[in-house]
């Protein structure tokens, strides 16, 4: 396993020690986006998969996203740096970064009946220590753990 080595000093300032204070507003935005109806193309894919085994549905959803959407990193220090586009905007654009891929995949998996959610992850830095999250990946429930799916 590769070890994580920080190549620069790290200093973070916050106004609260509460994770809810830090992530609550962002989580509400994610929940709002996840609650939006699927865009037409994504809905059509989900409808075409009805009745297939769940593993096949997940594989086809992943294949669709991989073929249809281009990864385009967006690391600007703005609200866009932390909050994904709306689902319809992602479909219209045909591209997005990890946040956009993650939220669209989670929304499609949910529509297919899989318990799924986006998860903020940071290599080597647990979010419990106040890290603001550097990468967003979809997770789906299998038994009692959360499996990460790589899209990029």
């Amino acid at each position: 396993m590769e070890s994580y080595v920080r190549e620069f000093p790290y200093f973070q300032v916050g106004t609260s020690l509460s994770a809810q204070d830090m992530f609550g507003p962002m989580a509400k935005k994610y929940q709002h986006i996840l609650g939006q109806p699927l865009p037409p193309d994504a809905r059509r894919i989900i409808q075409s998969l009805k009745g297939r085994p769940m593993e096949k549905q997940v594989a086809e959803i992943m294949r669709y996203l991989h073929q249809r959407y281009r990864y385009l990193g967006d690391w600007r220090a703005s609200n866009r740096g932390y909050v994904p586009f709306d689902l319809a905007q992602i479909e219209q654009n045909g591209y997005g970064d990890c946040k956009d891929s993650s939220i669209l995949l989670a929304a499609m998996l949910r529509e297919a009946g899989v318990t799924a959610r986006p998860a903020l992850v940071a290599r080597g830095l647990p979010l419990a220590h106040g890290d603001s999250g550097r990468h967003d990946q979809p997770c789906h429930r299998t038994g009692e753990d959360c499996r990460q799916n790589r899209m990029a």
Side-chain angles (χ1 to χ4, degrees):
M1 179 178 207
E2 185 180 319
S3 66
Y4 177 79
V5 178
R6 185 177 309 280
E7 297 180 10
F8 53 88
Y10 181 78
F11 182 73
Q12 189 167 13
V13 177
T15 57
S16 175
L17 295 176
S18 165
Q20 182 61 35
D21 288 347
M22 288 182 64
F23 296 110
M26 186 169 34
K28 285 181 183 176
K29 291 176 183 176
Y30 270 69
Q31 289 304 321
H32 172 74
I33 295 168
L34 278 171
Q36 297 171 350
L38 282 181
D41 287 349
R43 181 164 303 286
R44 182 183 48 78
I45 293 298
I46 297 301
Q47 292 300 321
S48 74
L49 298 173
K50 296 284 187 196
R52 293 190 189 179
M54 189 55 62
E55 296 81 17
K56 298 281 187 192
Q57 290 187 49
V58 172
E60 287 300 317
I61 291 168
M62 295 290 291
R63 183 183 342 273
Y64 164 75
L65 291 174
H66 178 71
Q67 291 174 347
R68 168 72 167 77
Y69 296 94
R70 185 180 75 241
Y71 178 84
L72 180 66
D74 185 353
W75 303 287
R76 292 176 284 181
S78 67
N79 191 41
R80 173 67 193 126
Y82 296 102
V83 178
F85 286 122
D86 288 336
L87 298 178
Q89 187 68 46
I90 297 167
E91 184 167 283
Q92 181 182 349
N93 291 345
Y95 65 84
D97 60 13
C98 56
K99 302 178 301 294
D100 305 307
S101 299
S102 177
I103 203 144
L104 183 56
L105 176 57
M108 291 180 76
L109 289 173
R110 285 179 173 193
E111 188 74 19
V114 177
T115 302
R117 61 183 164 81
L120 293 174
V121 296
R123 185 174 173 192
L125 296 171
L127 292 177
H129 290 112
D131 186 15
S132 58
R134 298 223 173 16
H135 190 65
D136 199 336
Q137 289 183 277
C139 286
H140 69 277
R141 276 278 195 227
T142 306
E144 293 300 316
D145 60 355
C146 186
R147 305 271 183 211
Q148 292 179 357
N149 298 296
R150 298 212 177 265
M151 293 189 57

